[in-house]
């Protein structure tokens, strides 16, 4: 699967020194801009590195093919598993945060993006019974003009990967690492733009602000409901 990265600075310019740019993939914009008519990846519509036509393609369910990469070589993914795949693809193709982790030698690639352990574990749980034939989804295929093809037998995710950490740190090669920090990691939700400055900082001088920014993640579901009852009606 061709993976790309972008950078998002809206609301962060005063807090983080950053340059607005996108990854160098064939379907990325040169710089992020707002988009209308998104069908998926709504989180990134206000400042996006992808065009609306990408979201139209990825909104299909079951998700079969994107840019000659096939997701169904071992059968269609379950809806829960597919939703996690889409969140990751949306980040790679559309998020203006991604280029903080652009690969130094490959302009369309990312490396070592810190992903919250909780996301990795939920992703693994969502896909555990789905079938897959590639351990590394970037390289463990045979490629030709008709797309990617299995080299190995199809087996369940929970046989291919030991746990959520294994899945996060190997499915996309070196693109992601699992992080045990509740704050200095991404979970591909709206909280990412609030915690990005803490991910990029090397010291802990703003611990109180970091704790405040992380509250949406640290709250239990019942606490969130109590804090914003209208959202859950």
């Amino acid at each position: 699967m061709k993976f790309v990265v972008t950078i998002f600075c809206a609301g962060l310019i005063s807090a983080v020194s950053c340059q607005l740019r996108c990854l160098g993939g064939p379907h990325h914009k040169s710089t992020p801009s707002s988009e209308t008519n998104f069908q998926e990846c709504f989180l990134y519509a206000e400042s996006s590195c992808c065009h609306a036509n990408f979201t139209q393609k990825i909104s299909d369910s079951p998700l079969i093919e994107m840019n000659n990469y096939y997701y169904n070589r071992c059968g269609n993914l379950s809806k829960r598993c597919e939703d996690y795949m889409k969140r990751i693809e949306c980040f790679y193709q559309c998020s203006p945060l991604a280029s903080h982790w652009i690969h130094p030698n490959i302009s369309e690639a990312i490396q070592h993006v810190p992903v919250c352990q909780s996301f990795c574990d939920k992703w693994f749980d969502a896909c555990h019974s789905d079938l897959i034939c590639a351990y590394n989804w970037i390289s463990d295929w045979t490629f030709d003009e008709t797309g990617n093809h299995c080299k190995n037998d199809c087996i369940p995710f929970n046989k291919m990967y030991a746990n959520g950490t294994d899945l996060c740190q190997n499915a996309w090669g070196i693109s992601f690492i699992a992080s045990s920090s509740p704050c200095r990691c991404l979970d591909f939700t709206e909280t990412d733009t609030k915690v990005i400055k803490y991910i990029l900082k090397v010291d802990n001088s703003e611990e109180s602000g970091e704790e405040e920014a992380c509250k949406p993640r640290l709250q239990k579901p019942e606490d969130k409901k109590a804090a914003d009852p209208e959202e859950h009606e």
Side-chain angles (χ1 to χ4, degrees):
M1 210 175 296
K2 294 180 180 178
F3 214 49
V4 185
V5 183
T6 51
I7 193 166
F8 184 101
C9 294
L12 297 174
I13 294 177
S14 62
V16 179
S17 175
C18 56
Q19 177 184 358
L20 289 172
R21 61 188 177 122
C22 296
L23 296 179
H27 305 290
H28 286 77
K29 299 177 184 178
S30 57
T31 58
S33 59
S34 62
E35 286 283 338
T36 57
N37 301 318
F38 262 28
Q39 302 299 311
E40 197 74 46
C41 311
F42 303 105
L43 185 62
Y44 311 110
E46 292 185 4
S47 181
S48 175
C49 283
C50 66
H51 296 280
N53 63 351
F54 165 78
T55 71
Q56 293 166 358
K57 295 176 183 177
I58 202 173
S59 66
D60 291 342
S61 186
L63 182 61
I64 304 297
E65 179 267 341
M66 281 286 301
N67 302 322
N68 208 31
Y69 184 100
Y70 287 81
Y71 295 78
N72 66 340
R73 292 308 192 193
C74 291
N76 292 335
L77 298 170
S78 66
K79 184 62 168 62
R80 286 185 66 213
C81 185
E82 180 183 272
D83 287 345
Y84 276 85
M85 299 292 201
K86 288 182 176 183
R87 286 171 68 180
I88 295 166
E89 280 289 349
C90 285
F91 170 78
Y92 170 69
Q93 296 285 354
C94 305
S95 174
L97 293 176
S99 64
H100 283 298
W101 294 278
I102 191 168
H103 193 287
N105 301 316
I106 308 171
S107 65
E108 66 181 57
I110 51 176
Q111 65 174 7
H112 305 151
V113 179
V115 179
C116 298
Q117 184 68 57
S118 59
F119 178 90
C120 296
D121 294 340
K122 291 175 183 176
W123 179 19
F124 179 75
D125 180 65
C127 298
H128 75 281
S129 296
D130 289 82
L131 299 178
I132 188 70
C133 64
Y135 183 67
N136 183 323
W137 304 346
I138 297 174
S139 60
D140 290 352
W141 303 94
T142 297
F143 291 94
D144 61 22
E145 64 278 2
T146 62
N148 54 306
H149 302 275
C150 291
K151 292 181 180 179
N152 306 301
D153 293 338
C154 296
I155 59 175
F157 269 68
N158 63 359
K159 299 297 184 184
M160 183 70 76
Y161 304 100
N163 47 42
T165 300
D166 190 16
L167 175 60
C168 264
Q169 297 189 166
N170 292 289
W172 287 105
I174 63 170
S175 299
F176 301 111
I177 56 172
S179 172
S180 59
S181 169
C183 193
R184 296 181 183 238
C185 61
L186 303 181
D187 62 3
F188 312 119
T189 68
E190 65 279 358
T191 63
D192 288 349
T193 57
K194 296 180 180 180
V195 303
I196 184 65
K197 68 177 181 178
Y198 302 109
I199 297 175
L200 300 179
K201 283 182 69 67
V202 296
D203 60 56
N204 296 313
S205 60
E206 295 187 55
E207 287 183 352
S208 60
E210 180 175 348
E211 181 180 353
E212 188 68 26
C214 282
K215 278 185 177 179
R217 288 184 180 169
L218 299 175
Q219 281 182 316
K220 297 178 181 178
E222 58 268 25
D223 295 332
K224 291 183 180 180
K225 185 174 181 180
D228 190 1
E230 293 183 1
E231 182 180 323
H232 298 274
E233 289 181 354

